[in-house]
């Protein structure tokens, strides 16, 4: 008997994952167990397949079972974490789009965007942020809107990097955001790359792991997005384009916004990261997924195939 998405809903995957997590109790079985590590494992491909299985016209239970019953406990944990992050970050939510614009536009372009916002809507963007968001998400967006990120002087301040690592590390587990907003919105990307590296060496975990442990909801999603931008902006956009193409229907708003806004800055780098991570060119992916009147325009913006 088939089950509709309304009846089963997106919660089915986390529920199955939580039950399958009990398989760690059978680790002592060793080679007598029924599951093995999946050799061609790709957490991104598995998450995309699960999302497709639950967002179509009907839930594809077969696909869900096939993925989740053929992955080891460690692999399922990676899938579960990535799935939760993906579903908490709606690909075209107002908060996500705002974070994207504020975190990735150059200072002159950002000022143009904010001025246009005030002109078109007769309200300052900062006032809307204050009234429609709260907590650390609001603080992050307001800090980014001020455009106060330091420029790179060409000199790495090792002492400041160590101080920032210490501040972030000591702040873990507390009830306030502490230095997170200041450091991630004010320091230049070169400096933050070193902070990320030193944080991993100091604590034995990536900074993103601390974010997942320390924060919840919109705050966690915003901080993870910001960290992704800081680490590799072209890869950040490549991931967003891939998600937009993998939805049950391509998300044309996301595709158009990114391809248009990045066509004069770093679209070639985005194409390279897309091909490197997903094994298929952005051009071919657009050809396969996009239909309708805007198909030729999107392909023209993308320009060419990456061999």
């Amino acid at each position: 008997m088939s089950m509709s998405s309304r009846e089963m809903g997106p919660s089915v995957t986390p529920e199955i994952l939580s039950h399958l997590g009990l398989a760690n109790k059978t680790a002592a079985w060793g080679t007598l167990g029924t599951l093995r590590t999946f050799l061609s494992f790709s957490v991104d491909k598995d998450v995309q397949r699960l999302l497709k299985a639950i967002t179509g016209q009907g839930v594809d239970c077969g696909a869900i079972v096939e993925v989740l019953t053929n992955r080891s406990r460690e692999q399922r944990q990676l899938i579960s974490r990535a799935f939760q992050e993906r579903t908490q970050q709606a690909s075209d939510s107002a908060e996500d789009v705002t974070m994207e614009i504020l975190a990735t536009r150059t200072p002159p372009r950002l000022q143009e965007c904010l001025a246009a916002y005030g002109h078109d809507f007769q309200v300052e963007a900062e006032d809307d942020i204050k009234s429609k968001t709260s907590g650390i998400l609001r603080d992050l967006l307001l800090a980014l809107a001020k455009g106060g990120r330091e420029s790179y002087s060409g000199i790495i301040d090792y002492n400041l990097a160590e101080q920032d690592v210490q501040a972030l590390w000591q702040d873990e587990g507390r009830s306030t955001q502490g230095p997170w907003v200041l450091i991630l919105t004010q320091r230049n990307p070169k400096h933050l790359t070193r902070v990320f590296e030193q944080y991993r060496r100091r604590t034995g975990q990536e900074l993103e792991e601390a974010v997942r442990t320390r924060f919840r909801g919109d705050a966690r999603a915003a901080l993870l997005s910001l960290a992704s931008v800081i680490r590799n902006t072209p890869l950040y956009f490549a991931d967003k384009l891939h998600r937009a193409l993998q939805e049950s229907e391509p998300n044309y708003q996301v595709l158009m916004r990114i391809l248009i806004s990045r066509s004069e800055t770093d679209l070639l780098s985005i194409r390279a990261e897309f091909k490197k991570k997903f094994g298929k060119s952005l051009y071919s992916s657009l050809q396969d997924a996009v239909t309708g009147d805007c198909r030729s325009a999107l392909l023209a913006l993308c320009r060419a195939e990456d061999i």
Side-chain angles (χ1 to χ4, degrees):
M1 179 177 68
S2 63
M3 189 174 292
S4 68
S5 58
R6 179 179 298 274
E7 293 171 321
M8 195 167 187
S11 63
V12 64
T13 306
E15 183 178 351
I16 294 176
L17 283 169
S18 67
H19 288 300
L20 285 176
L22 297 174
N24 63 352
K25 298 181 184 293
T26 67
W29 295 358
T31 56
L32 297 180
T34 61
L35 288 180
R36 300 288 187 275
T37 298
F38 189 66
L39 297 180
S40 301
F41 177 65
S42 167
V43 63
D44 187 74
K45 289 181 179 179
D46 282 349
V47 169
Q48 292 296 340
R49 188 173 181 191
L50 291 173
L51 286 171
K52 277 188 173 182
I54 67 173
T55 57
Q57 293 182 346
V59 173
D60 187 349
C61 297
I64 296 173
V65 171
E66 182 178 346
V67 170
L68 298 183
T69 63
N70 286 285
R71 303 296 184 267
S72 68
R73 176 173 59 88
E74 290 79 9
Q75 290 172 335
R76 289 196 303 271
Q77 289 175 343
L78 293 174
I79 293 170
S80 178
R81 182 182 302 154
F83 184 89
Q84 290 174 11
E85 290 176 7
R86 185 69 54 83
T87 53
Q88 287 171 357
Q89 291 179 289
S91 60
D92 203 25
S93 68
E95 294 82 4
D96 186 60
V97 175
T98 304
M99 173 60 70
E100 174 193 314
I101 293 172
L102 296 180
T104 64
R105 301 311 192 252
T106 62
R109 181 60 60 85
L110 178 57
Q111 292 307 310
E112 290 177 7
C113 291
L114 295 176
Y117 189 99
H119 178 270
D120 291 348
F121 301 107
Q122 296 300 299
V123 62
E124 295 300 320
E126 291 188 12
D127 292 334
D128 263 354
I129 291 172
K130 291 176 183 177
S131 65
K132 297 178 180 178
T133 60
S134 61
I136 191 171
L137 174 62
R138 178 182 60 194
D139 295 340
L140 279 171
L141 296 179
L142 288 174
L144 290 170
K146 293 183 184 301
R149 190 179 293 282
E150 303 161 352
S151 58
Y152 180 53
S153 66
I155 300 175
I156 298 176
D157 190 333
Y158 293 95
N159 289 330
L160 181 60
E162 181 59 32
Q163 291 172 18
D164 286 346
V165 170
Q166 186 74 13
L168 295 173
W169 179 53
Q170 290 182 341
D171 187 69
E172 286 188 26
R174 299 183 181 178
S175 59
T176 61
Q177 59 265 29
W180 290 84
V181 171
L182 171 65
I183 293 172
L184 294 183
T185 65
Q186 303 301 307
R187 305 290 193 251
N188 71 75
K190 291 285 187 182
H191 173 86
L192 287 172
T193 297
R194 179 159 293 278
V195 169
F196 287 7
E197 293 173 353
Q198 290 188 206
Y199 188 93
R200 178 177 53 79
R201 289 198 295 267
R202 167 72 69 83
T203 67
Q205 65 174 186
E206 300 292 351
L207 188 76
E208 289 85 348
E209 289 298 314
V211 170
R212 294 184 185 101
T213 302
R214 167 76 174 75
F215 299 96
R216 295 291 182 271
D218 290 338
R220 178 166 62 181
L223 284 166
L224 289 174
S225 290
L226 188 54
S228 179
V229 170
I230 292 166
R231 281 192 184 276
N232 189 332
T233 301
L235 179 58
Y236 164 80
F237 281 115
D239 282 331
K240 295 196 75 170
L241 287 168
H242 190 253
R243 289 199 297 269
L245 288 166
Q246 294 299 310
E247 294 183 19
S248 55
E249 288 292 333
N251 192 322
Y252 288 96
Q253 287 188 333
V254 173
L255 296 175
M256 288 187 291
R257 184 178 70 249
I258 294 177
L259 288 174
I260 291 171
S261 67
R262 311 309 294 187
S263 59
E264 296 182 57
T265 54
D266 58 355
L267 188 51
L268 289 176
S269 296
I270 293 170
R271 281 170 39 182
E273 292 291 351
F274 191 100
K275 178 68 180 295
K276 179 181 178 181
K277 180 168 184 179
F278 303 111
K280 184 177 181 179
S281 75
L282 176 59
Y283 193 88
S284 291
S285 298
L286 289 168
Q287 278 185 319
D288 293 343
V290 175
T291 59
D293 295 335
C294 68
R295 183 174 188 266
S296 58
L298 292 176
L299 290 173
L301 286 169
C302 187
R303 271 298 186 266
E305 181 71 80
D306 294 300
I307 307 301

